Amino acid sequence: MAKVKTTFFCQNCGSQYAKWQGQCTSCKEWNTIAEEVIQKPEKSDWKTPTSATKRVSKPLLINEIDSSQEARLNMQDGEFNRVLGGGMVHGSLTLLGGEPGIGKSTLLLQIALKLQYKTLYVSGEESQKQIKMRAERINPNSSNCYILTETKTQNIFKQIEALEPDIVVIDSIQTLHSDYIESSAGSISQIKECTTELIKFAKETSTPVLLIGHITKDGNIAGPKILEHMVDTVLQFEGDRNHVFRILRANKNRFGSTNELGIYEMQGSGLREVSNPSEILISEKDGELSGNAIAATIEGLRPLMIEVQALVSTAVYGTPQRSATGFNAKRLNMLLAVLEKRAGFRLGAKDVFLNITGGITVDDPAIDLAVVAAILSSNEDVALPSTYCFAAEVGLSGEIRPVQRVEQRILEAEKLGFSTIFVSKYNKIALKNTVIKIQLISKIEDLVGFLV
Ligand code: TYD
Ligand code: MG
């Protein structure tokens, strides 16, 4: 009988060891190293060795490489296409991570149902009936989507060979197991092996593969970090489960930028694309309330108007509280210090709460001015006109600094019916014939003059 081969893996970072030890030397976690049985025949291929056509690739001049094949597959979903960088690339492997129940299966099933291409949806988590029930709610008439419930990669490849799908979706990578490895599904060595087989399959047949991955409680995709290095694109599906909005972003993308954002709304019949997010991110209210200001930001290539809410109140306890949701708390403290020092507002003994509505997180510095305006408005209890919006960065000496792509922001604000936008005096603006009033300011005191 062949000797059983085992190796020790750190369940946290995926490092490999020859023998057990208490602490992982690479990630320094204690008690994470576990023994896994691996048994590899000489060849692990996505096809059985006999049926594999042996191809040897030759070097080609870069000008001779045919790039027409790189035309992307249209996923029939505007948000998904944009986050991928214009559609899916042939032969690419995309990993979609996200918390349980956030809607990963819903998103990919919905895309699979809408596609014009022959799609194979492999599920190791739900039965065919359960998927059918869900599909009926989302899109009852789809004619190109095949559902397979299977967890063994060799069987999946057998079905793929028979069906020859154009796209394969795997829900989820942690449920797969390969015959070549004996450890249980979801273990580091299984995840690595199954992903390697899928990569080989994707590259050899030019079929794009979408993988769903679970995440651990600290927000990383479960399994070795190496998994993220192996795939071409890592997408993250996030959002507050209590909010209806879901945000799709790319953490890694070999074929496009990583600063595009896709926004969806969870409805009873699946996820709806939100193609004009500004309208939903600005809450509707009767009358003007103090402490609200609108920022003209840019996420990726898309301008986005978002609402900033501030609440400034006298501190009840000795130490005032500062809390920010969706905004960097250190940056909030810095802005408060600038307001105190440069504009003479005594905020040192006040509680300040800041919230970006819609549950999204912004790191565009152009939001600074709206944050300052919201704080001033709440502090003075004076409502800002709801047709004002802001786009500028605030410097340490209270100067209002220019931001990139200001013209795009101005045009978006104009499109949404804002009457005035506050921007830095130092921004070069070539726009002519705008209906919106462009208010140029250079110091934080200027803003105070306008608002209070
Ligand atoms: P699911 O896709 O199963 O999450 P994941 O695969 O990321 O674990 O999403 C489950 C949630 O989505 C569930 O809480 C109910 C909600 N949902 C809807 O609100 N509407 C729908 O049409 C569907 C299919 C799900
Ligand atoms: Mg799921």
Side-chain angles (χ1 to χ4, degrees):
M1 212 181 96
K3 200 172 163 247
V4 178
K5 221 177 136 191
T6 64
T7 313
F8 294 83
F9 287 98
C10 167
Q11 303 294 314
N12 185 50
C13 70
S15 306
Q16 199 171 339
Y17 296 93
K19 60 179 175 46
W20 188 86
Q21 59 192 62
Q23 187 189 25
C24 171
T25 34
S26 75
C27 71
K28 305 277 180 274
E29 283 290 317
W30 286 94
N31 224 359
T32 54
I33 295 172
E35 185 174 21
E36 293 183 10
V37 182
I38 52 166
Q39 209 161 44
K40 244 186 190 174
E42 315 75 70
K43 201 156 186 311
S44 84
D45 209 339
W46 73 272
K47 285 178 175 181
T48 48
T50 46
S51 67
T53 41
K54 202 89 187 104
R55 264 192 307 174
V56 182
S57 45
K58 274 188 268 156
L60 276 180
L61 269 176
I62 191 146
N63 295 338
E64 288 171 359
I65 299 172
D66 180 18
S67 64
S68 57
Q69 240 262 314
E70 284 307 297
R72 293 167 183 250
L73 295 170
N74 180 0
M75 303 302 279
Q76 309 292 330
D77 180 311
E79 303 291 298
F80 202 74
N81 275 341
R82 205 190 33 253
V83 174
L84 287 175
M88 238 182 152
V89 174
H90 289 270
S92 65
L93 222 80
T94 305
L95 179 66
L96 174 70
E99 288 190 13
I102 202 77
K104 302 178 294 297
S105 308
T106 309
L107 178 67
L108 293 193
L109 180 64
Q110 175 174 335
I111 287 173
L113 292 173
K114 248 194 283 180
L115 281 178
Q116 310 287 324
Y117 311 101
K118 198 197 273 182
T119 313
L120 179 66
Y121 185 99
V122 183
S123 179
E125 305 204 328
E126 285 151 277
S127 71
Q128 280 163 319
K129 276 216 182 79
Q130 287 168 329
I131 297 172
K132 170 78 180 162
M133 269 162 55
R134 186 191 292 234
E136 263 168 4
R137 283 205 285 157
I138 300 172
N139 181 0
N141 37 20
S142 150
S143 51
N144 295 317
C145 182
Y146 294 81
I147 307 288
L148 172 69
T149 44
E150 177 61 69
T151 53
K152 200 154 112 181
T153 52
Q154 280 73 23
N155 292 350
I156 294 173
F157 290 133
K158 225 175 271 165
Q159 297 304 327
I160 287 177
E161 263 182 274
L163 187 69
E164 300 194 331
D166 298 318
I167 293 192
V168 177
V169 179
I170 308 273
D171 184 6
S172 61
I173 183 72
Q174 279 87 2
T175 58
L176 294 192
H177 66 99
S178 166
D179 268 352
Y180 296 119
I181 301 270
E182 287 203 351
S183 60
S184 61
S187 63
I188 305 283
S189 47
Q190 277 292 4
I191 294 178
K192 249 158 95 175
E193 171 64 23
C194 295
T195 312
T196 314
E197 290 176 17
L198 285 165
I199 289 177
K200 224 165 182 173
F201 156 72
K203 304 288 168 199
E204 280 178 16
T205 59
S206 279
T207 312
V209 178
L210 277 159
L211 295 176
I212 289 179
H214 296 168
I215 62 171
T216 57
K217 58 181 181 301
D218 45 357
N220 298 317
I221 291 175
K225 197 78 189 156
I226 225 174
L227 185 59
E228 293 182 33
H229 290 294
M230 286 160 92
V231 300
D232 298 304
T233 306
V234 180
L235 303 179
Q236 183 88 21
F237 204 37
E238 57 191 31
D240 194 332
R241 243 190 297 169
N242 305 320
H243 279 86
V244 288
F245 298 115
R246 300 282 185 273
I247 290 166
L248 182 71
R249 58 172 96 234
N251 286 347
K252 161 184 175 181
N253 193 350
R254 284 196 183 139
F255 314 111
S257 94
T258 52
N259 45 22
E260 285 298 339
L261 206 74
I263 304 184
Y264 292 90
E265 186 182 349
M266 183 59 99
Q267 294 183 331
S269 56
L271 291 153
R272 183 182 74 89
E273 291 171 46
V274 178
S275 37
N276 189 356
S278 300
E279 280 170 12
I280 55 136
L281 291 174
I282 298 171
S283 59
E284 301 201 355
K285 50 190 172 294
D286 303 325
E288 287 158 354
L289 301 171
S290 69
N292 289 358
I294 311 285
T297 67
I298 288 201
E299 274 288 348
L301 296 174
R302 192 162 55 160
L304 199 67
M305 308 296 287
I306 56 172
E307 187 171 327
V308 181
Q309 292 185 315
L311 179 67
V312 180
S313 64
T314 311
V316 184
Y317 304 107
T319 326
Q321 294 188 60
R322 268 79 209 270
S323 125
T325 315
F327 187 74
N328 187 334
K330 286 208 176 108
R331 185 123 196 122
L332 171 64
N333 283 334
M334 182 218 107
L335 292 174
L336 290 173
V338 171
L339 270 175
E340 179 122 18
K341 179 98 182 169
R342 308 286 169 195
F345 285 91
R346 296 269 153 260
L347 296 166
K350 302 257 174 98
D351 287 340
V352 180
F353 303 96
L354 191 78
N355 182 28
I356 309 282
T357 57
I360 67 169
T361 305
V362 197
D363 50 9
D364 180 3
I367 198 174
D368 284 359
L369 194 60
V371 170
V372 168
I375 292 170
L376 286 178
S377 160
S378 177
N379 190 46
E380 302 295 307
D381 203 14
V382 179
L384 302 176
S386 60
T387 56
Y388 280 14
C389 63
F390 305 85
E393 190 181 336
V394 176
L396 281 182
S397 51
E399 81 276 22
I400 307 296
R401 306 173 63 166
V403 290
Q404 49 152 341
R405 307 224 297 276
V406 73
E407 295 178 355
Q408 220 180 329
R409 301 173 200 256
I410 295 172
L411 292 176
E412 173 78 1
E414 182 175 85
K415 204 169 80 197
L416 292 172
F418 285 90
S419 67
T420 309
I421 182 164
F422 288 79
V423 295
S424 164
K425 199 170 101 184
Y426 308 106
N427 256 126
K428 298 209 170 28
I429 301 166
L431 290 175
K432 293 201 181 69
N433 307 328
T434 48
V435 180
I436 191 168
K437 184 167 172 222
I438 302 170
Q439 189 65 57
L440 301 174
I441 54 176
S442 60
K443 298 192 299 293
I444 211 156
E445 294 94 305
D446 299 351
L447 180 73
V448 177
F450 274 106
L451 302 184
V452 285

